[in-house]
Amino acid sequence: MSLLELEDIHSYYGNIHALKGVSLKVEEGEIVSLIGANGAGKTTTLRSISGLLHPRKGKVIFRGKDVTKLAPNLIHKEGLGLVPEGRGIFPRLTVLENLEMGAFLVKDKAEIARGIEQAFTLFPRLRERAEQKGGTLSGGEQQMLATARGLMSTPSILLMDEPSMGLAPVLVDQIFDVIKELNAKGTTILLVEQNALMALSIAHRAYVLQTGTIVLSGAASNVAKDENVRKAYLGI
Amino acid sequence: MRRLIKSAGLREILLPLGRMAVFVLGAGALMSVVMVVLALLCRGSGADKLLLSTQNVNIVFYTMANLPQVLIDGVTIGFVYAAIALGYTMVYGVLEFINFAHSEIFAIGAFAGVEFLIIMDKIGVLATSGTYGPYLYLTLALAIGMLAAGGIAVLIERTAYRPLRGAPRLVPLISAIGVSFALQDIIRLVESLTTGQFYRVIPTFGNFDDKILLFTIQTASAPIKVDIQVKSVIVIAAAVMMLVGLNYIVNATRIGKAIRSVAQDRDTAAIMGIGVNGVIAFTFLIGGALGGAAGVLYALKFTRIDPFVGFMPGMKAFTAAVVGGIGNLTGALLGGIILGMLESFAGAYLGTFTMGNFGSEYKDIIAFLILIIVIVFRPSGLLGEQISQKA
């Protein structure tokens, strides 16, 4: 049984048919990349999984349970973490409070403290900024905070939406190193990226999304070799 | 760590108390100075001569002698406005829309509390309740007003606003105005059917109308007594306690943190495991309860209420919330105190300074002129949020 499985998902924004039958699987321990152009439906796919947008048709199965119609807070409770598009930092909460929000459902204070310590070890910059308001952080720091916050609930899968967006190349490398590190420690990751080259380089498997449908899937190394993918997304 | 949390809790109690003191003293001092300067400028004017001939005092002395009473009245009504304004600003904070039905939520709180006191009066327990009994019944009336208003607020949210959450901004606003008018007439209908009249008067009981003499100003003619009604003290004390309590809930508790995060980013809050609908309902509950308590306090202060009693205080509290910076709790407090002071000063001095050409009945012009001036020059309000989220 896969950790996460999408069966023929159809999602709409009003009358716009954004996802036209997306099916994909994520196995435990994998990094799976979902790549595609602007407007292909990458973010919509993540929103459909996390409950922010309910698909009109199809099923989302998470850990063997149908979560298609569940509210986002209940899906989160099942063990799903999301680092949203644009990072979703609470601008008027401090870095520390942002992290605490990530562990909103964790009752054990000691466990929250451990999580915060872990986040600071992973991103030492956040420790320096602990008392600063989230809105005053730089883009890179916000991405670190969003990632760390997503991990606070120790999710069994972390969905990451464009972690490289708007970041300087050196920061992008850093974020991708962290993703690899997290995965090595056992976190399953579904990564949505425009930066296809980077995404394919760290992923085990990949799906290519084009105007709401999966047009190609397979081992990341094979997807990277595909002629059309190279032309369209890798610019080679 | 434990000590840190404890002191953080204490800070959330002391900080708002300090802010209130600063706002009250600051607004009071500023208004007093402006008033005295105005009086100095008016020396020798017609108003000055009129005062000399009728009361044998000049305008500067008259202004200063009246100041303490005017300030006390301003603070009293200011805290009532602040308590109502918090309901507007909290709902705006989480939903970014103005709950125009909040003035009727206030009215329902007032009616629930007053009806309870009328019943208690009829069965005769109010008059025979001794020295401390009246305070118990007033506390009960406040609790009933809060429950009724909070309950109605949650019901309105569930039926008239939640189904419209995805709709364009204007739609829930229209729904709110509709609810506002509907509730006004529902109160009127219920009151007419059950009591045959639609205004109610709070029973006289306890020592709430007594005046506590603060000090006496000796003058050439009659001495001027500066006093404060017991009920004004109650209004101020109750409002201060509620405002501190609300501040504590929002800033130092788990549900408060959830409210703030829903206000800042609803989707992200949801994926952190926060039940957004529950948090929004809770916001309406405490905003409504504050409004309801303000209604009972208002009834205590002004004794007579009718189904339209919420309209003017509601508009002024809304003004206060916008002046202070809508969505900002401290701003609502500041706005309420400013509005109360302005109204009290305008009510007390407008007639004298204009030799009766503009009586105190025009005091509301001042409040709304200030609204226009503030939003023209500072659209985000005095304490409006300035921090912006970086992309």
Side-chain angles (χ1 to χ4, degrees):
Chain A
M1 185 187 68
S2 309
L3 182 63
L4 175 71
E5 194 169 348
L6 271 63
E7 287 175 12
D8 193 30
I9 290 293
H10 289 260
S11 288
Y12 292 75
Y13 289 112
N15 288 325
I16 299 161
H17 197 170
L19 295 185
K20 301 163 186 161
V22 170
S23 300
L24 61 81
K25 279 182 189 177
V26 182
E27 306 293 339
E28 192 131 22
E30 278 188 314
I31 299 181
V32 173
S33 284
L34 185 59
I35 60 174
N38 257 339
K42 304 187 298 287
T43 296
T44 310
T45 306
L46 293 194
R47 289 178 67 86
S48 302
I49 298 170
S50 56
L52 291 170
L53 181 70
H54 289 300
R56 282 198 204 161
K57 209 182 138 214
K59 268 187 193 169
V60 181
I61 315 274
F62 181 49
R63 296 171 85 178
K65 189 175 168 183
D66 185 348
V67 297
T68 320
K69 298 267 183 281
L70 284 187
N73 57 318
L74 299 177
I75 297 180
H76 170 85
K77 212 172 171 179
E78 296 290 324
L80 184 134
L82 172 63
V83 181
E85 185 190 25
R87 294 147 203 157
I89 297 302
F90 299 116
R92 293 185 296 281
L93 296 187
T94 64
V95 167
L96 206 57
E97 286 174 316
N98 265 285
L99 289 173
E100 284 168 5
M101 289 317 300
F104 188 74
L105 295 181
V106 182
K107 294 275 184 291
D108 182 7
K109 287 232 164 75
E111 200 183 322
I112 298 175
R114 259 200 310 280
I116 290 173
E117 199 43 50
Q118 222 166 41
F120 286 164
T121 318
L122 202 56
F123 300 108
R125 267 305 263 283
L126 295 181
R127 192 193 299 274
E128 297 165 32
R129 302 266 185 267
E131 295 301 326
Q132 216 169 304
K133 298 258 191 250
T136 66
L137 298 184
S138 73
E141 289 163 344
Q142 288 196 351
Q143 186 59 54
M144 293 175 197
L145 179 55
T147 309
R149 187 182 60 184
L151 292 167
M152 285 295 292
S153 58
T154 50
S156 47
I157 188 170
L158 189 65
L159 315 184
M160 301 185 76
D161 198 345
E162 303 263 10
S164 76
M165 190 167 46
L167 296 191
V170 55
L171 284 174
V172 175
D173 288 345
Q174 206 183 328
I175 289 282
F176 275 86
D177 283 345
V178 168
I179 295 173
K180 270 191 282 187
E181 194 183 326
L182 290 174
N183 181 249
K185 284 183 191 157
T187 310
T188 308
I189 287 165
L190 175 56
L191 176 66
V192 154
E193 263 295 343
Q194 270 202 345
N195 190 337
L197 195 61
M198 288 293 273
L200 291 175
S201 73
I202 64 163
H204 301 106
R205 290 189 304 113
Y207 292 87
V208 180
L209 200 57
Q210 202 177 312
T211 55
T213 28
I214 302 279
V215 291
L216 184 70
S217 65
S221 50
N222 289 340
V223 171
K225 282 181 206 141
D226 184 90
E227 198 58 39
N228 293 326
V229 170
R230 291 172 74 86
K231 259 195 212 143
Y233 307 112
L234 303 180
I236 309 170
Chain B
M1 190 73 187
R2 213 184 150 80
R3 246 188 75 205
L4 201 78
I5 290 167
K6 261 190 184 162
S7 63
L10 190 65
R11 196 183 60 204
E12 289 307 334
I13 293 171
L14 293 179
L15 202 67
L17 279 175
R19 278 197 205 115
M20 284 179 212
V22 169
F23 291 164
V24 166
L25 295 175
L30 183 69
M31 292 289 300
S32 304
V33 168
V34 168
M35 214 56 232
V36 171
V37 168
L38 269 179
L40 285 169
L41 292 176
C42 287
R43 268 182 308 180
S45 69
D48 193 15
K49 283 173 191 141
L50 188 68
L51 276 173
L52 277 170
S53 64
T54 54
Q55 298 182 35
N56 196 28
V57 291
N58 69 42
I59 194 159
V60 179
F61 181 82
Y62 174 89
T63 304
M64 299 220 277
N66 277 299
L67 271 180
Q69 201 67 61
V70 173
L71 288 169
I72 288 168
D73 289 344
V75 173
T76 313
I77 191 69
F79 272 112
V80 174
Y81 290 156
I84 310 170
L86 282 166
Y88 284 103
T89 221
M90 284 188 70
V91 165
Y92 186 87
V94 292
L95 290 180
E96 294 201 353
F97 104 105
I98 301 296
N99 178 15
F100 274 112
H102 193 59
S103 47
E104 276 57 52
I105 292 169
F106 163 91
I108 283 170
F111 270 92
V114 169
E115 288 295 346
F116 165 75
L117 289 173
I118 289 173
I119 293 168
M120 290 299 113
D121 192 37
K122 270 198 188 127
I123 60 176
V125 293
L126 277 191
T128 58
S129 55
T131 320
Y132 299 108
Y135 290 92
L136 172 70
Y137 287 109
L138 185 62
T139 310
L140 281 175
L142 274 170
I144 287 168
M146 289 172 89
L147 274 177
I152 287 285
V154 171
L155 191 70
I156 294 171
E157 191 275 326
R158 186 72 191 85
T159 53
Y161 303 153
R162 197 183 297 178
L164 301 173
R165 205 158 300 153
R169 288 258 182 109
L170 203 54
V171 178
L173 200 70
I174 297 301
S175 181
I177 291 171
V179 170
S180 170
F181 285 120
L183 282 179
Q184 269 180 14
D185 275 343
I186 288 171
I187 300 173
R188 191 165 64 153
L189 180 69
V190 171
E191 287 297 322
S192 310
L193 287 179
T194 54
T195 66
Q197 59 199 12
F198 62 75
Y199 68 88
R200 302 296 269 166
V201 176
I202 195 167
T204 314
F205 68 111
N207 62 344
F208 303 143
D209 287 321
D210 292 359
K211 290 176 174 178
I212 306 168
L213 185 66
L214 294 177
F215 51 88
T216 310
I217 302 170
Q218 297 298 340
T219 71
S221 52
I224 299 171
K225 286 179 182 167
V226 176
D227 48 40
I228 182 166
Q229 274 186 308
V230 172
K231 59 188 182 188
S232 297
V233 176
I234 293 172
V235 170
I236 295 173
V240 167
M241 279 192 280
M242 290 190 305
L243 300 184
V244 170
L246 177 76
N247 189 74
Y248 186 84
I249 291 176
V250 172
N251 288 323
T253 65
R254 192 174 123 93
I255 180 81
K257 211 183 283 172
I259 292 176
R260 284 185 291 150
S261 47
V262 168
Q264 291 174 37
D265 190 332
R266 199 187 301 166
D267 278 357
T268 307
I271 56 166
M272 303 280 116
I274 296 168
V276 171
N277 284 335
V279 168
I280 290 174
F282 183 76
T283 307
F284 272 84
L285 178 73
I286 51 177
L290 269 181
V296 179
L297 294 174
Y298 186 89
L300 179 71
K301 175 94 177 120
F302 297 101
T303 63
R304 199 186 119 129
I305 55 171
D306 62 50
F308 313 106
V309 67
F311 182 71
M312 267 331 257
M315 284 314 274
K316 283 187 194 144
F318 167 53
T319 307
V322 175
V323 165
I326 189 114
N328 181 317
L329 299 186
T330 312
L333 178 64
L334 175 62
I337 289 168
I338 290 177
L339 258 271
M341 288 284 184
L342 278 172
E343 184 180 320
S344 172
F345 272 81
Y349 294 119
L350 205 55
T352 315
F353 274 68
T354 58
M355 291 184 288
N357 289 326
F358 292 98
S360 60
E361 64 270 24
Y362 289 104
K363 65 185 185 211
D364 292 340
I365 294 178
I366 305 288
F368 294 107
L369 274 180
I370 294 290
L371 168 72
I372 295 167
I373 291 169
V374 168
I375 57 179
V376 165
F377 288 102
R378 229 185 124 79
S380 59
L382 294 172
L383 300 180
E385 292 295 346
Q386 271 150 29
I387 200 169
S388 64
Q389 186 171 17
K390 284 189 191 171

